[in-house]
Amino acid sequence: MENNYISIRNLKKVYTSGSGIFSGGKHQLKAIDGVSLEIRKGKTLGLVGESGCGKSTIGRCLIRLTEPDSGEAIYQGIDIMKIKKSEFTPYRKKFQIIFQDPYSSLNPRMTVGDILKEIIKFHNPNKKKEIEDKCYKLLEVTGLNRNSINKYPHEFSGGQRQRIAIARALAVEPEFIVCDEPVSALDVSIQSQIINLLKDLQKEFGITYLFISHDLSVVKHISDDIAVMYLGKIMEFSEKEKLFSELYHPYTKSLLSSVPKPEPRNKSRAEALKGEIPSPLNIPSGCPFHTRCPQVIDICTELFPSKRGSDNHYAYCHLINDKTSGIK
Ligand code: SF4
């Protein structure tokens, strides 16, 4: 794809659990199982899937909050997964993260001004007046009042706290922000305000986002490209417009059918998702979606499908016909 910013290649992360004597032996939890993705500069890659599918682990690996077991993430010709942690500081300034629950990531004993000043000083020592001016500028661009500077996080609503978290991420003038379920805990009306704010900031500062969510309807609003993930693997990837004009993968169709519609009588042909996602400790053989797939065929239980489609829109499903790049 054109204009690549970060190229993720075959990223893997396995957690080992239950090594105690009462645990009945060690278990391996495959959080990311060979993920490859392209993130375009100045664009938003939406990463969507149910809880526990490994999407947050990808975001955490990219900013080295979690160490992958293997794989690459190429940024400006450098594999940032191989950089020593002690040498990652310059990248930490460029790469930021916003979490789902801003309250737990904001120090309750610090005012908003102190929270912002702390991070500005850490990354770029400036004169006192410059730091203060920058704080006010950050409040302005994130839609917060100037008098917020002397208030504590508990004095704000959930949406306002997420604005503070965004202001903090912007304080170091990042190129790339991992947005990890940033609106999941907010009311629907506030969700759209935060998404619009993120879009405005992208337009103004050219920031690249990895936007992680379990909600395809939210991802649709902010993304340029969308990757759909299930049990550690990418199931479908596409430019947004192409994805919604022709869905390839039964899992993506089921996710879309699970989105509440304004007119419930207007039923989609695809079946909504049934049952729980299997445990990542015991991933089904073959295509991991076969235990819930309404279109499962014999081969699905034995063999993981190869990649079918084009660079701009591909999926992993035995039902996809290579010649037409569509469902048979
Ligand atoms: Fe369903 Fe088989 Fe396609 Fe997997 S490979 S999504 S089980 S049809």
Side-chain angles (χ1 to χ4, degrees):
M1 291 183 78
E2 284 172 23
N3 210 12
N4 285 347
Y5 177 70
I6 298 177
S7 298
I8 303 169
R9 297 270 173 269
N10 204 18
L11 204 64
K12 294 186 180 183
K13 177 69 187 176
V14 176
Y15 293 99
T16 303
S17 67
S19 53
I21 54 172
F22 299 115
S23 63
K26 287 188 180 181
H27 299 283
Q28 294 220 313
L29 187 156
K30 279 188 188 172
I32 319 174
D33 189 10
V35 163
S36 298
L37 283 171
E38 302 293 343
I39 303 177
R40 290 192 285 156
K41 190 166 176 51
K43 305 284 184 189
T44 300
L45 171 63
L47 187 54
V48 67
E50 288 164 282
S51 170
C53 71
K55 53 195 188 306
S56 292
T57 310
I58 294 179
R60 293 176 65 88
C61 283
L62 290 181
I63 58 167
R64 302 287 296 274
L65 285 179
T66 295
E67 290 302 312
D69 296 324
S70 61
E72 300 176 339
I74 308 297
Y75 164 78
Q76 295 186 343
I78 296 167
D79 181 3
I80 52 174
M81 297 296 104
K82 301 281 186 309
I83 295 170
K84 282 186 195 162
K85 264 208 146 173
S86 57
E87 292 166 13
F88 198 71
T89 308
Y91 296 90
R92 224 169 266 301
K93 187 180 166 196
K94 294 177 184 188
F95 301 165
Q96 290 289 304
I97 187 164
I98 303 165
F99 295 101
Q100 175 180 348
D101 178 7
Y103 199 49
S104 62
S105 64
L106 299 172
N107 187 335
R109 292 191 188 85
M110 290 171 81
T111 63
V112 170
D114 290 339
I115 289 168
L116 296 179
K117 282 172 196 167
E118 184 183 52
I119 193 157
I120 296 168
K121 278 191 222 159
F122 178 75
H123 286 282
N124 191 11
N126 281 309
K127 289 183 187 133
K128 199 176 166 203
K129 174 82 173 72
E130 284 172 21
I131 292 172
E132 202 154 291
D133 288 348
K134 189 160 183 178
C135 284
Y136 284 121
K137 176 75 183 157
L138 287 166
L139 295 177
E140 187 189 321
V141 297
T142 51
L144 290 158
N145 284 331
R146 282 175 74 87
N147 63 9
S148 304
I149 205 159
N150 294 317
K151 291 185 179 174
Y152 291 88
H154 74 268
E155 297 179 75
F156 295 88
S157 67
Q160 287 170 325
R161 279 199 288 268
Q162 198 53 285
R163 287 175 190 271
I164 298 166
I166 294 169
R168 185 180 58 180
L170 291 177
V172 291
E173 296 167 22
E175 289 180 9
F176 173 60
I177 302 181
V178 174
C179 306
D180 190 1
E181 300 268 11
V183 297
S184 303
L186 305 175
D187 291 345
V188 176
S189 59
I190 311 294
Q191 284 186 2
S192 54
Q193 287 176 21
I194 297 296
I195 285 179
N196 288 338
L197 171 64
L198 289 169
K199 284 165 93 169
D200 290 346
L201 295 171
Q202 183 171 56
K203 230 183 258 172
E204 189 170 349
F205 303 112
I207 305 167
T208 304
Y209 294 131
L210 175 65
F211 190 94
I212 296 167
S213 176
H214 64 279
D215 188 335
L216 190 55
S217 62
V218 170
V219 164
K220 185 180 178 183
H221 277 110
I222 190 165
S223 303
D224 299 285
D225 301 321
I226 294 177
V228 179
M229 202 171 168
Y230 190 77
L231 286 174
K233 287 184 182 290
I234 299 301
M235 294 282 122
E236 182 160 8
F237 169 88
S238 181
E239 290 173 2
K240 179 174 72 177
E241 306 309 332
K242 284 193 173 151
L243 184 77
F244 288 99
S245 65
E246 187 184 15
L247 294 171
Y248 286 176
H249 202 282
Y251 179 56
T252 317
K253 289 181 176 182
S254 300
L255 272 185
L256 192 64
S257 302
S258 303
V259 173
K261 294 183 179 62
E263 292 174 61
R265 264 181 264 150
N266 184 12
K267 281 187 186 165
S268 160
R269 280 192 300 145
E271 287 184 42
L273 269 175
K274 289 190 184 130
E276 293 292 310
I277 189 168
S279 166
L281 288 167
N282 193 14
I283 293 179
S285 60
C287 170
F289 187 54
H290 82 252
T291 56
R292 301 165 82 194
C293 180
Q295 293 169 266
V296 62
I297 52 176
D298 285 350
I299 195 175
C300 305
T301 60
E302 292 161 20
L303 194 67
F304 185 74
S306 57
K307 182 176 171 179
R308 322 263 171 105
S310 65
D311 279 355
N312 294 340
H313 188 181
Y314 58 81
Y316 297 84
C317 173
H318 291 298
L319 295 181
I320 296 173
N321 184 331
D322 266 332
K323 289 187 182 125
T324 60
S325 297
I327 295 282
K328 279 175 189 169

